[in-house]
Amino acid sequence: MVVGSGFAGTAAACQAIDEGAKTLLIDKMPVLGGNSAINGGAFAVVNSSFQKVRGIEDSYELYVKDILKAGLGLNRMDLVEVIAKNGNDAYEYTLKKRRVLQRRARSVRLTFCSKNDLARNKLGR
């Protein structure tokens, strides 16, 4: 059982299904997506394969600066670091599942959006 249908819960449910587990995804809301639906499914990463192929230079420091600016400096630095260090893994997982569509520029980095609601697509909804 996976509780929550945001990015993390959906990825956990998809991975469990891929590994052959009988999986139930539940959410407190009447529709899937959790808080991730609020941001339109967008996430930014540092030094993605998309950037590397195009010669786009990025840095951990610039990413952190952008995130702190977007969060008006109220961010928890420990969580910003987790996202900065692991966001590309989430992007590559989404790319592997062929669910990346839009790319919007922010500083030198690109923001990636999911092609479909991954939960609905994977879980047949």
Side-chain angles (χ1 to χ4, degrees):
M1 178 185 296
V2 178
V3 179
S5 64
F7 285 150
T10 299
C14 290
Q15 188 65 36
I17 291 167
D18 285 350
E19 293 181 14
K22 186 174 180 182
T23 307
L24 175 64
L25 176 68
I26 62 171
D27 197 283
K28 65 184 174 188
M29 301 302 290
V31 295
L32 295 175
N35 284 336
S36 301
I38 295 170
N39 76 349
F43 60 99
V45 300
V46 179
N47 293 322
S48 69
S49 56
F50 183 88
Q51 292 170 298
K52 289 177 184 176
V53 167
R54 289 158 180 79
I56 299 170
E57 294 183 22
D58 198 0
S59 72
Y60 173 85
E61 294 78 16
L62 183 57
Y63 180 90
V64 169
K65 181 180 173 185
D66 284 350
I67 295 298
L68 291 173
K69 180 179 178 183
L72 303 174
L74 301 172
N75 317 63
R76 280 187 44 194
M77 193 60 190
D78 59 326
L79 297 180
V80 170
E81 290 174 357
V82 167
I83 294 169
K85 291 175 183 172
N86 300 304
N88 196 46
D89 291 341
Y91 165 71
E92 292 297 334
Y93 178 84
T94 306
L95 185 64
K96 183 175 92 174
K97 298 297 182 185
R98 295 184 218 139
R99 299 290 178 240
V100 175
L101 176 64
Q102 301 173 358
R103 295 169 274 295
R104 295 177 284 192
R106 265 188 75 205
S107 293
V108 298
R109 185 177 37 276
L110 300 174
T111 301
F112 300 92
C113 299
S114 57
K115 183 176 180 181
N116 297 318
D117 178 359
L118 187 56
R120 289 185 186 147
N121 186 283
K122 186 69 176 187
L123 300 175
R125 294 197 169 102

